[in-house]
Amino acid sequence: MRTKMIRLPLRRVRQSESPLLAIARLSGLSTEDLGEFLDGRPVLYVQIQGESTLKNTAQTFHLKQRDILLLSDSKELHLSYRPSPNEVNGTQVALLIFSRLPALFINCDFISISAEDVSKELYDDLHRLYREAIEQQKSYEPLCQALSLCVLAQLKRADRSPEVECVEDEHLSPEIAEVKHFIDQHYHENFQLQNLAELSKYNKHYLVHRFKQELGISPMRYCQEKRFAKAKELIVEGKMSMKAISVYLNFSSPTLFSQSFKSHTGLSPTAYRHLYVREKKRSEGE
């Protein structure tokens, strides 16, 4: 079992950017071996050789050679390898570990791209990124950061996930339509994935699979989108305090609400309200 881990210094990286913390090349290791460093951070997996299976509490991903998977959250993630009999060097995976992702990925739980959909330019940028990190020549840190952002942008372009807004209720199966309707009515209340599974008569894993298959996102992410859409609406109305909004949307504290909102939108609730007021005044003055 082997691993090559390259941790990048962040002294030249501005906080407004998306810091690439480390690059790793693994062979025969499980995520437990990287647990302390992953710590729930966003991770980009590149299947260099062989096949792998990644599982979290809600989903399972099967990666074949040259497939790419971006996960916004690596908590409770388990990785297993499935080497092919004709492989000499065994199964190998490359990881790019980030402290956070750009605002482009705010509403994204994961992006899974099969090998045939990955452009040559994307692979070239990944190879150059790894080479720069290995060789560590002058100014390699900012160059690695720039290349990592380019890789992420190309992944977003290659993503073919459908938009949930394009799916009407009448096109959904009865079970998924019922779950969606429940979320639409109760998104501000406290419920878990297990409650939705019991409503649909599916187990949790199959519900996530079916819901994402029909709407393009997971049930809990859909609920999160509803909550933050309502939060934006209440914030710009200005009739409720931030504390009242956090209570209505079932956050345990205004601080948690503010942190979650900023993570989701890139702005604090107060900054979001100020931006809305400023843009409204600008549009009214035109």
Side-chain angles (χ1 to χ4, degrees):
M1 299 195 300
R2 304 182 305 278
T3 180
K4 175 70 174 179
M5 173 72 77
I6 306 157
R7 301 193 184 198
L8 302 181
L10 301 180
R11 60 180 180 274
R12 303 185 185 182
V13 181
R14 300 192 308 272
Q15 287 301 311
S16 60
E17 295 178 350
S18 172
L20 175 65
L21 291 179
I23 301 171
R25 186 161 180 151
L26 311 180
S27 178
L29 293 177
S30 66
T31 49
E32 285 78 10
D33 298 297
L34 292 173
E36 180 180 353
F37 194 71
L38 285 178
D39 194 27
R41 295 183 175 96
V43 182
L44 175 67
Y45 288 83
V46 183
Q47 189 70 38
I48 300 174
Q49 188 169 281
E51 300 181 10
S52 297
T53 298
L54 291 116
K55 296 182 179 180
N56 57 23
T57 55
Q59 294 162 307
T60 299
F61 304 94
H62 299 291
L63 278 70
K64 297 181 180 179
Q65 187 167 338
R66 295 173 68 87
D67 286 353
I68 296 178
L69 173 67
L70 176 69
L71 293 173
S72 62
D73 188 338
S74 60
K75 291 178 182 176
E76 300 185 48
L77 192 66
H78 302 277
L79 173 65
S80 59
Y81 296 100
R82 295 180 294 166
S84 302
N86 59 345
E87 289 174 359
V88 177
N89 297 321
T91 301
Q92 296 185 35
V93 177
L95 285 76
L96 275 63
I97 305 171
F98 299 87
S99 65
R100 61 185 180 274
L101 294 176
L104 186 66
F105 296 87
I106 283 175
N107 300 328
C108 182
D109 290 334
F110 69 90
I111 291 179
S112 179
I113 309 295
S114 59
E116 57 268 22
D117 293 326
V118 180
S119 67
K120 179 179 181 300
E121 290 77 12
L122 176 50
Y123 278 126
D124 288 344
D125 284 343
L126 284 167
H127 285 310
R128 185 182 179 190
L129 174 57
Y130 187 75
R131 188 177 69 249
E132 289 288 343
I134 287 287
E135 296 176 355
Q136 298 188 2
Q137 297 183 17
K138 182 180 178 180
S139 300
Y140 81 96
E141 303 104 314
L143 182 55
C144 285
Q145 297 294 337
L147 285 169
S148 71
L149 290 172
C150 185
V151 165
L152 291 174
Q154 291 184 71
L155 275 178
K156 190 64 175 178
R157 173 180 290 180
D159 183 23
R160 297 182 177 181
S161 299
E163 297 293 335
V164 65
E165 290 81 6
C166 297
V167 182
E168 300 294 338
D169 284 0
E170 58 264 26
H171 299 303
L172 301 175
S173 64
E175 295 82 4
I176 298 304
E178 184 176 9
V179 171
K180 178 179 178 294
H181 179 72
F182 179 88
I183 296 174
D184 289 341
Q185 300 298 316
H186 302 277
Y187 62 86
H188 58 289
E189 299 175 10
N190 184 25
F191 58 86
Q192 305 298 324
L193 181 61
Q194 181 60 41
N195 302 121
L196 300 178
E198 292 171 357
L199 180 67
S200 68
K201 304 299 191 296
Y202 293 145
N203 65 53
K204 292 189 297 184
H205 303 291
Y206 188 65
L207 171 60
V208 170
H209 169 74
R210 284 294 302 274
F211 199 96
K212 180 168 179 58
Q213 186 180 55
E214 297 189 31
L215 284 102
I217 58 175
S218 67
M220 299 310 291
R221 179 184 156 196
Y222 178 78
C223 178
Q224 183 186 58
E225 291 299 307
K226 296 287 294 186
R227 294 175 79 192
F228 283 112
K230 187 62 176 180
K232 292 176 182 178
E233 178 185 327
L234 295 174
I235 288 170
V236 299
E237 283 181 355
K239 297 178 180 179
M240 295 174 65
S241 67
M242 297 304 172
K243 181 178 180 180
I245 294 175
S246 68
V247 170
Y248 174 73
L249 294 175
N250 204 39
F251 285 90
S252 58
S253 70
T255 300
L256 178 60
F257 167 66
S258 180
Q259 292 173 344
S260 300
F261 188 88
K262 185 172 183 179
S263 176
H264 187 81
T265 65
L267 296 171
S268 68
T270 301
Y272 185 86
R273 177 178 285 172
H274 289 164
L275 178 63
Y276 172 81
V277 171
R278 185 168 65 249
E279 292 299 321
K280 183 178 181 181
K281 288 181 179 179
R282 179 183 300 174
S283 61
E284 291 175 348
E286 292 178 352

